[in-house]
Amino acid sequence: MIYLCRHGQTFHNREGRMQGQTESDLTPLGRAQAGAMGELLASLIERPAEWRIVASPLRRARDTAETIAARLGLPVAFEDRLMEVSVGDWSNRLRDDVKRENPALLSDPEWAFRSPGGETYDDIMGRVSGWLAEQPPEPERRLIVVSHGIAGWMLRGAYAGLPREEVVALDTPQNAIFRLSGGAIERLACDPVAEPA
C-alpha cells in the first residue's frame, strides 16, 4: 500500500507561479495542510513502525514530510526521482503570463511538458515508474510518499497503468491523500481542522 501526499500549499502556488524544481516555502495554509495529512495518516495506520516515509528532496515536500513524520514518529528518506517536473525556462514565472505568451498552450493538456529546457512527459514518467518498480510488492509495501502535483500524476498513472490521456487529466489536490492499494486508487479528503490565522 502507498499513501501518496502532495506537499501543502506554497507561496508560489498561491501566486500562480510555476515552481518545477525551484524552491518555495509552505504558506500558513500549507503548514496546516501538512499537519492535517499527519493527523489523517495517524488515524489510518495502526503500526507506524512498519511503514517508511519517502519524499522528494525539494523543500516544500521535505517540510510536509517532516511534519507527517513527526506525528508518526518516523524518519524520512529522500528520493530525487520523486521531484517535480522541471519546467526549465518557465521556472518561477506566473502561469498566466506563460499561457498569454503561448496561446496554443491554453488547449493543450500537456502544456506543462512544453517548457524550453524542461522535462518531457516521458522523462518524468520514466524516473517515477522506475522508482516504483524497485519498491517491495504488495502486501509488503507500506509507504507514505510525499511528492508534487505532476509527479503525483505520474506515480498514480504508473501504479494503475493508466493511459497518457488519463494521467494528464488527474487532479492535484493539496487537501487529500491518495491510497494506492490492490491496484485501486482511492482519494481521502484531508482538510485542515481550522484555517490558520
Side-chain angles (χ1 to χ4, degrees):
M1 182 182 301
I2 296 175
Y3 285 110
L4 173 61
C5 310
R6 183 185 178 195
H7 61 79
Q9 183 195 64
T10 66
F11 287 97
H12 273 25
N13 290 149
R14 194 167 71 185
E15 295 164 8
R17 290 190 184 278
M18 299 185 66
Q19 296 176 109
Q21 294 181 0
T22 59
E23 298 286 14
S24 180
D25 291 323
L26 298 179
T27 63
L29 173 59
R31 289 193 297 274
Q33 288 168 332
M37 288 182 233
E39 291 303 320
L40 177 58
L41 289 166
S43 74
L44 295 170
I45 295 173
E46 291 183 12
R47 293 180 293 281
E50 297 177 0
W51 289 71
R52 290 189 306 125
I53 301 178
V54 185
S56 157
L58 294 173
R59 190 167 59 235
R60 56 197 183 267
R62 176 184 294 265
D63 291 348
T64 300
E66 288 175 346
T67 298
I68 293 168
R71 179 64 181 85
L72 297 175
L74 293 172
V76 181
F78 297 100
E79 172 55 63
D80 288 350
R81 289 176 289 177
L82 297 175
M83 286 197 298
E84 184 60 300
V85 63
S86 168
V87 291
D89 295 351
W90 294 347
S91 297
N92 298 315
R93 297 202 54 212
L94 289 170
R95 185 176 289 105
D96 288 346
D97 288 348
V98 169
K99 288 190 171 185
R100 189 168 30 257
E101 293 166 12
N102 303 274
L105 296 177
L106 295 173
S107 60
D108 185 351
E110 295 194 20
W111 67 272
F113 307 111
R114 310 294 190 217
S115 60
E119 285 183 291
T120 66
Y121 179 99
D122 292 333
D123 290 335
I124 186 169
M125 181 57 87
R127 63 177 164 85
V128 170
S129 61
W131 174 81
L132 182 61
E134 295 172 7
Q135 304 315 304
E138 293 180 330
E140 292 80 20
R141 181 187 299 158
R142 295 181 185 91
L143 295 171
I144 298 163
V145 175
V146 182
S147 190
H148 303 269
I150 292 174
W153 276 0
M154 300 300 179
L155 188 58
R156 284 182 278 159
Y159 176 80
L162 299 177
R164 185 171 177 143
E165 62 273 12
E166 288 185 30
V167 172
V168 299
L170 293 171
D171 61 346
T172 57
Q174 290 170 309
N175 63 344
I177 293 173
F178 291 95
R179 178 164 45 207
L180 286 56
S181 180
I185 301 173
E186 179 184 5
R187 179 182 171 140
L188 308 171
C190 183
D191 281 312
V193 173
E195 290 292 315

